């Protein structure tokens, strides 16, 4: 048997740590006259306290409300006036803030990020305003949208028992309305020290100049201890769990099934075959479940499979899942689709053709490698690899590691996805009535 060799992209990466604990990743590349600056904090939805659902996301919004030397909305104005773009995002296990600017905007981005790392403007007015913004975002993206929150919000409480793993990270209106300025300040003090963050810079810059600018702007940020991250472990399922709910805005039935998979950090070798398996099942018209459910049986109108609820396999740690979701034609029974999924998993467990496997691994590796084409994407990937795997350069090795996944390991992964270990969520369409 031959294992496909997928080359790793060759980026010059320099890593160091400031006296206050901030980890810094510098990856110069003069290929395009832009720089990507990302700051990733090791705090996400799983870290928020019980009774404060949605707080990690709310705090991401608060970080754009001004800081020591930057007024409200000035971050946006400064970046856009310099010809750049910016954003932030909250995830299950991390929160990131990122800027893309012309090369001469490097110091501006560093100044802006360092200033809010010292402390955002946490006031009653800003907090009340951003609670309203987040609540409206929930209305638009979840409450008033067909299949809103399916399955990433709706399935975890079926799959998991602990608050950390099962709660709605978008947040409840009750918890959001109860948030206080003191809560916000405590959250910042606990989770936003420099020692709990990674600064990543990629693109067109001089290495020594960048080192000096990083030290100038971040070196004086107060040194505070990083939080101790608790274990989020809980027992695997031993019998199937199911939940169905009616979505008044949905017009077609839908189903999602999830199984626990190995920890992407603690057991990366055990996790990688599931990433490949997801692609083998649903990536492209020739994939197993698309060909069977959509084209042959016509028991699904669309189907997708991936690892982790947010489909970011290499930016997560702890308990996570392999997920299969499908939208069904009217009148199709959920058990019919689940039965077909079981049959196709059994076929994979019986053995995978090497040619098919090589094609699938090449596709998933190409998707990862394309992510490195973007300077902004590259800086974010370097930062999350540093956060979760302790080495920014790991982000360049994931594609190659996927190329080393064997047919035998994919077969074992498929065999482990048994009905007694899965959680199933069914959407009953109310809009079709």
């Amino acid at each position: 048997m031959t294992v496909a060799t997928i080359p790793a992209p060759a980026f010059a990466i320099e890593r160091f740590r400031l006296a206050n604990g901030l980890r810094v990743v510098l990856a110069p590349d003069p290929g395009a006259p832009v720089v990507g600056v990302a700051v990733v904090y090791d705090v996400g939805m799983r870290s928020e306290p019980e009774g404060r659902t949605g707080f990690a996301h709310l705090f991401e919004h608060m970080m754009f409300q001004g800081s020591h030397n930057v007024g409200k909305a000035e971050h946006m104005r400064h970046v856009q006036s310099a010809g750049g773009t910016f954003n932030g995002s909250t995830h299950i296990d991390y929160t990131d803030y990122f800027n893309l600017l012309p090369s001469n905007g490097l110091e501006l981005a560093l100044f802006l990020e360092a200033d809010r790392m010292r402390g955002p403007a946490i006031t009653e007015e800003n907090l009340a305003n951003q609670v309203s913004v987040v609540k409206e975002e929930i209305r638009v993206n979840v409450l008033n949208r067909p299949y809103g929150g399916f399955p990433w919000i709706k399935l975890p409480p079926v799959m998991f028992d602990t608050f950390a793993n099962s709660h709605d990270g978008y947040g409840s209106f009750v918890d959001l309305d109860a948030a206080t300025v003191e809560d916000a300040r405590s959250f910042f003090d606990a989770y936003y020290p420099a020692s709990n963050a990674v600064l990543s810079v990629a693109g067109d810059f001089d290495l020594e100049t960048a080192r000096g600018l990083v030290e100038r702007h971040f070196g004086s940020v107060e040194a505070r201890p990083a939080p101790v991250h608790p274990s989020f472990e809980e027992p695997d399922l031993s019998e199937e769990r199911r939940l169905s709910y009616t979505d008044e805005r949905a017009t077609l039935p839908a189903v999602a099934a999830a199984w626990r998979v190995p920890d992407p950090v603690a057991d990366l070798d055990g996790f990688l075959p599931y990433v490949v398996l997801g692609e083998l099942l649903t990536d492209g018209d020739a994939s197993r479940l698309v060909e069977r459910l959509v084209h042959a049986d016509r028991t699904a109108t669309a189907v997708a499979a991936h690892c982790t609820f947010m489909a970011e396999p290499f930016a997560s740690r702890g308990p996570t899942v392999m997920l299969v979701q499908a939208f069904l034609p009217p009148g199709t029974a959920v058990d019919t689709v689940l039965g077909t999924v079981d049959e196709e998993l059994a076929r994979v467990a019986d053995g995978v053709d090497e040619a098919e496997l090589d094609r699938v691994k090449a596709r998933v590796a190409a998707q990862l490698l394309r992510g490195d084409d973007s300077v902004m994407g590259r800086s974010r990937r370097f930062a999350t690899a540093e956060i979760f795997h302790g080495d920014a350069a790991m982000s360049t090795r994931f594609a190659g590691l996927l190329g080393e996944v064997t047919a035998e390991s994919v077969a074992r992964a498929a065999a482990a996805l048994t009905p007694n270990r899965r959680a199933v969520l069914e959407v009953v369409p109310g809009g079709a009535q």
Side-chain angles (χ1 to χ4, degrees), residues 13-264:
I13 298 175
E14 179 168 323
R15 303 160 57 232
F16 59 96
R17 188 186 292 261
L18 299 185
N20 56 20
L22 178 68
R23 288 159 285 176
V24 181
V25 177
L26 301 178
D29 177 10
V34 295
V35 289
V37 177
V39 178
V40 174
Y41 292 88
D42 196 349
V43 55
M45 297 170 184
R46 261 201 277 229
S47 301
E48 56 199 14
E50 195 162 355
R52 290 293 176 265
T53 61
F55 211 87
H57 180 217
L58 171 63
F59 201 82
E60 175 221 317
H61 282 250
M62 290 293 294
M63 288 286 280
F64 286 96
Q65 297 308 297
S67 49
H68 285 265
N69 300 294
V70 179
K72 190 170 184 175
E74 285 189 7
H75 187 119
M76 173 180 67
R77 182 173 61 81
H78 284 307
V79 173
Q80 292 179 337
S81 296
T85 60
F86 70 96
N87 212 332
S89 59
T90 311
H91 303 251
I92 291 174
D93 290 312
Y94 71 97
T95 306
D96 63 348
Y97 304 87
F98 43 96
N99 312 264
L100 180 67
L101 290 116
S103 307
N104 60 6
L106 172 60
E107 185 166 14
L108 172 63
L110 294 176
F111 161 73
L112 293 170
E113 291 298 344
D115 202 60
R116 62 179 168 187
M117 186 178 284
R118 289 184 177 87
I122 301 174
T123 66
E124 293 279 3
E125 179 186 357
N126 284 344
L127 181 61
N129 176 269
Q130 292 311 302
V131 165
S132 296
V133 170
V134 171
K135 287 167 65 176
E136 183 60 22
E137 190 175 317
I138 293 171
R139 291 187 188 98
V140 171
N141 291 336
V142 179
L143 300 179
N144 296 322
R145 174 178 290 185
Y147 311 101
F150 172 80
W152 76 276
I153 290 176
K154 304 288 190 180
L155 187 51
V158 185
M159 185 87 195
F160 296 109
D161 295 320
T162 65
F163 169 80
N165 293 323
S166 66
H167 76 277
D168 176 359
Y170 233 146
S172 77
F173 284 9
V174 171
D175 286 352
L176 290 169
D177 285 333
T180 67
V181 166
E182 184 55 39
D183 291 332
R185 288 175 178 157
S186 297
F187 194 83
F188 176 80
D189 289 342
Y191 295 109
Y192 274 72
S195 56
N196 201 42
V198 170
L199 165 68
S200 175
V201 184
D204 182 25
F205 61 88
D206 175 75
L207 194 58
E208 289 307 310
T209 300
R211 283 184 65 103
L213 291 174
V214 168
E215 185 67 54
R216 177 189 306 170
H217 291 287
F218 287 89
S220 61
V221 174
E222 178 188 7
R224 292 184 285 119
V228 176
H229 292 279
S231 170
F232 297 123
E233 284 300 322
E234 61 178 277
D236 193 4
L237 299 185
S238 58
E239 59 182 8
E240 184 184 67
R241 295 181 180 180
R242 289 203 184 197
L243 177 71
S244 65
Y245 71 98
T246 299
D247 184 337
E248 297 297 342
R249 290 170 176 78
T251 56
L252 293 174
V255 63
W259 297 259
R260 285 278 296 275
V261 296
D263 186 323

Side-chain angles (χ1 to χ4, degrees), residues 323-339:
L323 186 145
V324 177
Q325 64 186 77
F327 294 88
L328 319 181
T332 301
V334 162
D335 280 328
T336 299
V337 173
L338 292 175

